[in-house]
């Protein structure tokens, strides 16, 4: 019903549940997931917080759909009769005081709701709603997390009291900048431990070619300045209009885009007066050929494309107390160099290397700043790279992780309080705790395909753009061939075969007359001097691993590919007896093991024994009580060594190999797994014998080491059927999805690429071949395990 009570759509939700069942979507009837109720404005209502909430909900669903059920109580001003999507469970008319208590009572009686997440703006509760809203907060018995979208400094006593009363009843409050957190603490006396800073979320973008996008939107050969958002006088668009004549004088090819409809509340009260005044100024200043108003509420994809083609983003808000701006954040995520007025958000994230800050309503400073940037391509490029590095932690995927972890923390505190209250009584059933289960991303070859030419897979990328000047390596093309063979075995996609052929040809190209391989090839397909300066033993072993893996798929791959791989491998066999590098031997054991077939030449088994015995001898030489390893240090690709010995056991049945492999692997796992997850050995500091723990300072963790751990866990589970190995596979893979010391994603679901590493304080945003292939092989390894599919 919908009258004086909060509108409850329980019958619709029940029908929705039935549709989920018939559509074979995940349903949890016996043990329903804990429900998080968003109290917020929500699309189709047009406002920034509505869009923010929808983006946050989508990101939480994408990351943790097996951990939470997410529903919405949509805030309306008056009886708007909007048609909401299925996640909207309740609607609250904020002008009707009677509905607040009714909604609170409904929330308390709904056993599915575990948390209430409020998106707060005082403007939502005007017209007498403030007192009713506060009453709702006090009546609700479920833990409340409240997000302050505005935190005003220097409050009067009335405002200070309002904020303090709101914060007092919440389990936690969230703000989007450090500045806002400090204001809450110093000006409102809200305890710092109650406040969490979670930046405004931003969208990952594919960073498409700027010139291609300009051509698409009819802006070829133009220098594009842009701003966007729901239009109102507070945006001070006239600041830029008055600067344009001085800008055009130096750069006559400038176009200024003003993107966005007029704010609905402005239209309701003032009509289009502000837009009309701006258009009149454009004519008066003779700027018609240089200013384009895009009077639309653009679809997200179109908006992000406009931002990606923008040369400079202009943010001219004249509100000194605007705590945060979603439009500002979106521009940074698209790599826009930014010129901004000094709102707190800009002062916090727009440091000297990321943009230029000008005074409010200062058109002269705007003109000077724009001309400086348009005249310096290198500076714009530098600002763009810095903007991306500053903003990437705020990707919606990372925002989802931060919100989920906050809810988990509050849940744990609730459990502790429950135990304290009922420690002497068994009459109460303890509530179920929340376990965060990361959702497996879909498998994507997009970035692998983008990095692959007719020669092979390019070594490096700049962000997600292939860096052809970096050339090619045997290492990466060997990994690429394994990954594509895995993908073909899973999907039988015909297009994979052409790529497998490309990578195999590259491996053949790198093979020398003596049977060994070179590793480094430049963009002109010439071997580089680096081949003479670097030890290539590991690269040679990695090539044998890849060739053996392809041969192991002889039942499904075209015969010509298998014969070509066998020919290259056979030519390399004479090099194997001379191998003594630890990881080269391990790669080679894996490759020869994969070649196993009914009529396999006995020479392979002999070579496996030769190399495995060398590994065992190394282990016996270095191991001692408390140090069960092959070397006097743990360094890179550690999991490879015990996995190779286990392959040797599978090949020969020799229990020495099996027992040594298990002892060494369990020792390694004890050093890289902890209560928080996995932390692989850093490429900055190895763990030497005599030290019992990893160095205190994190950072320098590489995707390839996490992937090697997953490969090894998979094989150890295959042999020992110990579920602990399976559980550790999940924990290790979650490192890619955000379960690392930065709590940030390493795999980029927008591009299909994987970031190159986790440093002490930031992510390396480049998405090169090694990291992308490491992620892909790890993801495909999990896909092969029935336990992980759709988990």
């Amino acid at each position: 019903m919908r009258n004086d009570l909060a509108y409850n759509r329980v019958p619709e939700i029940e029908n929705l549940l039935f549709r989920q069942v018939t559509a074979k979507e995940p349903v949890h009837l016996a043990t329903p997931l804990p429900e998080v109720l968003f109290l917020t404005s929500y699309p189709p209502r047009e406002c920034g917080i509505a869009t923010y909430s929808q983006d946050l909900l989508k990101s939480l669903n994408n990351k943790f759909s097996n951990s939470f059920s997410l529903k919405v109580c949509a805030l309306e001003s008056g009886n708007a009769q909007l048609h909401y999507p299925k996640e909207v469970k309740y609607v609250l008319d904020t002008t009707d005081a009677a509905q607040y208590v009714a909604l609170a009572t409904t929330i308390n009686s709904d056993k599915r709701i575990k948390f209430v997440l409020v998106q707060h703006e005082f403007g939502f509760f005007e017209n007498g709603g403030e007192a009713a809203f506060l009453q709702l907060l006090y009546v609700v018995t479920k833990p409340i997390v409240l997000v302050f979208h505005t935190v005003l400094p220097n409050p009067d006593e009335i405002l200070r009291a309002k904020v303090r009363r709101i914060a007092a009843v919440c389990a936690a409050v969230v703000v989007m900048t450090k500045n806002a957190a400090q204001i809450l603490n110093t000006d409102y006396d809200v305890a710092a431990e109650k406040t969490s800073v979670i930046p405004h979320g931003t969208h990952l973008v594919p960073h498409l070619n700027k010139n291609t996008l300009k051509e698409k939107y009819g802006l070829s050969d133009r220098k594009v300045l842009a701003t966007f958002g729901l239009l109102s006088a507070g945006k001070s668009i006239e600041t830029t209009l008055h600067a344009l004549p001085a800008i055009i004088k130096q750069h006559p090819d400038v176009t200024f885009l003003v993107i966005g409809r007029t704010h609905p509340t402005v239209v309701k009260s003032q009509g289009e007066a502000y837009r009309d005044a701006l258009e009149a100024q454009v004519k008066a200043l003779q700027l018609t050929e240089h200013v384009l108003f895009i009077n639309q509420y653009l679809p997200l994809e179109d908006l992000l494309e406009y931002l990606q083609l923008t040369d400079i983003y202009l943010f001219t808000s004249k509100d000194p107390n605007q705590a945060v701006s979603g439009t500002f954040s979106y521009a940074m995520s698209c790599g826009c160099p930014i010129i901004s007025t000094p709102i707190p958000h800009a002062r916090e994230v727009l440091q000297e290397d990321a943009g230029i800050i000008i005074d409010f309503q200062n058109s002269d400073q705007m003109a000077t700043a724009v001309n400086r940037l348009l005249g310096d391509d290198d500076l714009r490029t530098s600002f763009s790279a810095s903007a991306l590095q500053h903003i990437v932690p705020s990707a919606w995927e990372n925002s989802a992780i931060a919100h989920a972890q906050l809810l988990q923390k509050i849940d744990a505190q609730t459990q502790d309080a429950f135990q304290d209250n009922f420690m002497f009584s068994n009459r109460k059933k303890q509530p179920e705790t929340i376990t965060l289960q990361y959702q497996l991303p879909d498998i994507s070859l997009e970035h692998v395909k983008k990095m692959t030419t007719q020669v092979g897979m390019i070594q490096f990328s700049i962000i997600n753009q292939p860096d052809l000047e970096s050339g090619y390596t045997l290492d990466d093309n060997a990994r690429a061939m394994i990954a594509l063979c895995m993908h073909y075995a899973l999907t039988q996609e015909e297009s994979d075969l052409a790529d497998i052929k490309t990578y195999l040809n590259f491996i053949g190209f790198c093979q020398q007359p003596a049977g060994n391989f070179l590793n480094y090839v430049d963009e002109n397909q010439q071997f580089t001097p680096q081949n003479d300066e670097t030890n290539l033993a590991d690269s040679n072993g990695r090539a044998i691993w890849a060739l053996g893996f392809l041969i192991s798929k002889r039942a499904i791959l075209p015969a010509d590919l298998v014969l070509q791989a066998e020919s290259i491998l056979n030519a390399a066999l004479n090099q194997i007896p001379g191998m003594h590098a630890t990881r080269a031997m391990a790669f080679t054991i894996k490759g020869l093991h994969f070649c196993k077939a009914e009529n396999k030449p006995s020479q392979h088994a002999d070579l496996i024994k030769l190399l495995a015995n060398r590994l065992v001898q190394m282990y016996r030489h270095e191991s001692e009580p408390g140090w069960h390893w092959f070397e006097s240090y743990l360094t890179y690709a550690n999991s490879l060594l015990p996995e190779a010995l286990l392959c040797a056991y599978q090949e020969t049945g020799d229990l020495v190999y099996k027992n040594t492999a298990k002892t060494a692997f369990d020792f390694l796992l004890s050093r890289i797994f902890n209560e928080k997850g996995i932390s692989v050995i850093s490429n900055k500091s190895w763990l030497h014998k005599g030290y019992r723990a990893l160095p205190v300072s994190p950072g320098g963790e590489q995707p390839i080491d996490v992937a090697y751990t997953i490969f090894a866990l998979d094989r150890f589970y295959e042999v020992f059927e110990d579920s602990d190995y399976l559980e550790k596979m999940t924990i290790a893979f979650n490192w890619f999805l955000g379960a690392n010391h930065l709590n940030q994603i390493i795999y980029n679901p927008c591009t299909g690429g994987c970031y190159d590493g986790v440093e002490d304080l930031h992510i390396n945003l480049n998405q090169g071949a090694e990291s992308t292939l490491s992620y892909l092989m790890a993801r495909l390894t999990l896909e092969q395990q029935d336990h992980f599919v759709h988990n």
Side-chain angles (χ1 to χ4, degrees):
M1 63 182 178
R2 186 170 187 164
N3 41 46
D4 290 339
L5 297 180
Y7 175 41
N8 186 336
R9 286 198 192 153
V10 172
E12 282 192 40
I13 299 301
E14 291 174 350
N15 290 337
L16 172 61
L17 181 60
F18 176 75
R19 288 199 298 273
Q20 283 183 334
V21 173
T22 56
K24 297 184 180 180
E25 296 178 4
V27 182
H28 303 266
L29 294 175
T31 54
L33 294 173
E35 186 172 294
V36 181
L37 182 69
F38 282 57
L39 188 64
T40 180
S41 60
Y42 205 73
R45 181 173 176 177
E46 293 181 2
C47 82
I49 293 178
T51 303
Y52 170 94
S53 296
Q54 185 176 59
D55 287 338
L56 176 58
L57 187 143
K58 285 181 178 178
S59 65
L60 279 165
N61 259 331
N62 289 338
K63 294 293 290 185
F64 300 109
S65 61
N66 291 326
S67 303
F68 306 109
S69 172
L70 304 172
K71 299 298 179 182
V72 175
C73 174
L75 303 179
E76 289 184 358
S77 180
N79 192 5
Q81 294 290 339
L82 299 174
H83 297 287
Y84 290 104
K86 63 183 181 181
E87 60 266 23
V88 174
K89 185 175 182 178
Y90 308 109
V91 173
L92 173 68
D93 178 359
T94 57
T95 65
D96 186 348
Q99 292 193 18
Y100 288 83
V101 173
L103 174 62
T105 303
T106 302
I107 291 171
N108 291 340
S109 62
D110 190 337
K111 295 181 179 179
R112 293 168 293 187
I113 298 174
K114 187 153 189 170
F115 302 100
V116 178
L117 180 59
V118 181
Q119 305 296 330
H120 179 272
E121 185 68 70
F122 278 109
F124 283 157
F125 308 107
E126 294 174 339
N127 302 319
E130 286 186 10
F133 170 68
L134 186 61
Q135 184 180 15
L136 178 148
L137 296 182
Y138 274 87
V139 171
V140 168
T141 58
K142 310 294 175 72
I144 297 171
V145 177
L146 185 137
V147 183
F148 281 113
H149 284 257
T150 299
V151 181
L152 296 176
N154 306 312
D156 58 28
E157 281 304 314
I158 294 175
L159 177 58
R160 184 174 183 274
K162 286 179 182 178
V163 171
R164 283 177 51 78
R165 285 196 294 267
I166 290 171
V169 77
C170 296
V173 295
V174 174
V175 292
M176 299 182 193
T177 65
K178 295 176 183 177
N179 178 71
Q182 183 177 1
I183 292 172
L184 270 185
N185 182 238
T186 57
D187 291 10
Y188 295 88
D189 200 25
V190 174
E193 57 269 21
K194 180 174 263 192
T195 305
S196 296
V197 178
I198 303 178
H200 192 296
T202 57
H203 293 279
L204 297 171
V205 297
H207 299 289
L208 303 173
N209 182 273
K210 191 182 294 285
N211 291 329
T212 301
L213 289 174
K214 286 184 177 181
E215 182 178 354
K216 174 180 177 179
Y217 290 99
L219 294 165
S220 297
D221 301 320
R222 304 295 293 179
K223 290 290 194 305
V224 178
L225 314 177
T227 192
F228 88 94
L230 293 172
L231 196 61
S232 67
K235 292 190 179 295
S236 191
I237 304 300
E238 60 273 14
T239 298
T240 302
L241 296 183
H242 291 141
L244 278 176
I247 295 170
I248 294 167
K249 186 175 182 179
Q250 293 190 31
H251 301 279
D253 55 351
V254 156
T255 294
F256 176 41
L257 304 180
V258 183
I259 305 169
R261 291 172 54 179
T262 304
H263 199 292
T265 58
V266 174
V267 172
K268 187 180 295 186
S269 61
Q270 304 172 21
E272 292 287 0
Y274 181 62
R275 182 182 296 275
D276 293 342
L278 292 176
E279 292 178 347
Q281 287 184 47
V282 168
K283 292 180 181 177
L285 294 168
Q286 299 181 351
L287 299 174
T288 305
E289 299 299 317
H290 297 276
V291 179
L292 176 62
F293 289 93
I294 302 174
N295 187 7
Q296 301 177 48
Y297 194 82
L298 290 176
L300 178 63
E301 182 179 355
D302 293 352
L303 172 61
L304 294 178
E305 287 188 349
Y306 270 112
L307 290 176
Q308 288 174 79
L309 66 79
T310 295
D311 293 292
I312 305 174
Y313 184 79
L314 307 178
F315 184 83
T316 53
S317 169
K318 60 184 180 182
D319 180 3
N321 296 321
Q322 183 172 351
V324 69
S325 167
T327 64
F328 183 95
S329 298
Y330 282 21
M332 288 189 73
S333 73
C334 291
C336 296
I338 296 177
I339 300 172
S340 174
T341 50
I343 66 166
H345 190 190
R347 294 200 308 269
E348 189 165 306
V349 301
L350 260 197
Q351 299 170 14
E352 290 183 1
D353 62 345
I356 298 174
I357 292 179
I358 63 171
D359 293 334
F360 292 106
Q361 297 178 283
N362 194 318
S363 297
D364 290 341
Q365 289 183 11
M366 172 66 78
T368 300
V370 170
N371 284 330
R372 177 189 172 197
L373 280 178
L374 288 181
D376 192 335
D377 292 347
D378 290 341
L379 183 59
R380 290 204 313 278
T381 299
S382 175
F383 278 8
S384 177
S386 295
L388 288 173
Q389 192 67 67
H390 286 309
I391 205 67
V392 72
S394 69
W396 279 116
E397 289 77 4
N398 294 330
S399 180
I401 293 168
H403 280 86
Q405 290 178 338
L406 177 60
L407 294 176
Q408 188 181 45
K409 175 184 175 182
I410 293 170
D411 184 55
Q413 293 170 345
T414 303
Q415 302 303 317
D416 291 343
F418 183 94
Q419 291 177 355
D420 291 342
N421 290 334
F422 297 100
M423 62 184 301
F424 299 113
S425 172
N426 294 322
R427 289 177 294 175
K428 289 280 186 178
K429 179 181 178 183
Q430 184 169 339
E432 295 182 5
T433 58
I434 290 176
T435 301
L436 296 183
Q437 299 180 46
Y438 288 81
Q439 188 77 8
L440 286 179
D442 292 337
I443 295 170
S444 171
L445 299 185
E446 181 178 353
H447 194 54
V448 173
K449 301 281 188 179
K450 185 175 183 177
M451 293 280 287
T452 299
T453 70
Q454 61 182 2
V455 175
M457 190 166 185
I458 298 167
Q459 181 178 193
F460 296 139
S461 74
I462 301 172
I463 309 298
N464 69 318
Q465 300 304 313
D467 181 11
L468 185 57
E469 292 183 1
S470 69
Y472 308 85
T473 66
L474 173 67
D475 290 334
D476 292 329
N477 283 273
R479 295 184 192 102
M481 192 168 78
I482 293 171
L484 269 291
C485 285
M486 293 175 73
H487 189 262
Y488 183 75
L490 178 70
T491 66
Q492 304 290 296
E493 285 190 18
E494 289 294 317
S495 61
D496 290 346
L497 296 176
D499 292 316
I500 292 171
K501 177 69 172 176
T502 296
Y503 306 137
L504 180 59
N505 286 344
F506 186 88
I507 294 173
F509 172 75
C510 289
Q511 190 168 41
Q512 303 302 292
N516 63 305
F517 300 88
L518 298 182
N519 187 40
Y520 300 100
V521 178
D522 68 18
E523 59 184 308
N524 299 314
Q525 294 180 256
Q526 300 295 312
F527 291 111
T528 73
Q530 196 172 356
N531 289 293
D532 300 321
E533 302 162 358
T534 308
N535 189 322
L536 302 182
D538 287 3
S539 301
N540 277 256
R542 195 173 283 109
I544 292 172
W545 171 33
L547 292 165
F549 191 86
L550 186 152
I551 294 167
S552 74
K553 305 301 179 186
R554 58 172 64 82
I556 60 171
L557 289 174
D560 63 312
L561 290 178
V562 177
L563 289 173
Q564 184 180 354
E566 288 177 336
S567 175
I568 298 171
L569 177 62
N570 288 336
L573 292 177
N574 68 314
Q575 297 290 318
I576 293 175
M579 282 186 175
H580 292 275
T582 315
R583 284 151 188 79
M585 293 191 293
F587 281 128
T588 299
I589 290 171
K590 286 185 65 174
L592 296 179
H593 172 62
F594 277 122
C595 290
K596 186 174 183 179
E598 291 182 6
N599 299 318
K600 184 188 66 174
S602 59
Q603 183 185 18
H604 286 193
D606 293 340
L607 289 171
I608 288 174
K609 289 179 182 178
L610 173 69
L611 300 182
N613 286 339
R614 288 176 183 172
L615 288 178
V616 170
Q617 188 59 37
M618 292 178 66
Y619 177 85
R620 289 172 175 169
H621 181 267
E622 291 293 343
S623 65
E624 59 184 43
W627 187 263
H628 306 289
W629 197 242
F630 305 87
E631 299 163 315
S632 62
Y633 45 76
L634 293 173
T635 174
Y636 68 97
N638 296 297
S639 298
L640 171 66
L641 307 185
E643 184 197 1
L645 267 190
L646 201 58
C647 288
Y649 159 71
Q650 290 178 298
E651 188 73 24
T652 66
D654 190 327
L655 291 177
V656 171
Y657 302 154
K658 179 182 181 182
N659 295 334
T660 304
K662 189 174 192 312
T663 301
F665 192 49
D666 289 349
F667 166 76
L668 174 64
L669 296 180
S670 74
R671 294 300 186 270
I672 63 176
F673 281 88
N674 53 55
E675 67 278 1
K676 295 182 179 179
I678 186 173
S679 181
V680 293
I681 305 299
S682 170
N683 65 355
K684 295 179 179 179
S685 56
W686 298 350
L687 177 61
H688 290 267
K689 187 191 296 187
Y691 292 88
R692 294 293 179 258
L694 293 176
V696 174
S697 178
E701 294 179 66
Q702 304 294 299
I704 192 168
D705 284 304
V706 179
Y708 282 141
T709 304
I710 290 170
F711 304 157
L713 286 165
D714 182 50
R715 188 171 299 279
F716 274 77
Y717 176 70
E718 175 189 337
V719 172
F720 293 99
E721 298 183 348
D722 184 342
S723 61
D724 184 58
Y725 293 131
L726 205 61
E727 291 169 6
K728 281 184 168 60
M729 284 180 69
T730 300
I731 294 169
F733 191 78
N734 286 346
W735 181 90
F736 289 103
L737 306 182
N740 48 68
H741 79 267
L742 291 180
N743 297 315
Q744 295 181 31
I745 57 169
I746 312 302
Y747 171 67
N748 184 324
C750 174
T751 64
C754 180
Y755 298 134
D756 278 351
V758 181
E759 303 302 336
D760 293 9
L761 301 175
H762 70 276
I763 302 293
N764 182 335
L765 298 184
N766 295 327
Q767 298 161 49
E770 177 185 291
S771 54
T772 295
L773 292 167
S774 296
Y775 167 82
L776 179 59
M777 290 188 288
R779 177 66 183 87
L780 290 166
T781 299
L782 263 65
E783 192 72 12
Q784 294 168 358
Q785 286 280 1
D786 291 339
H787 172 81
F788 295 104
V789 179
H790 307 304
N791 184 25

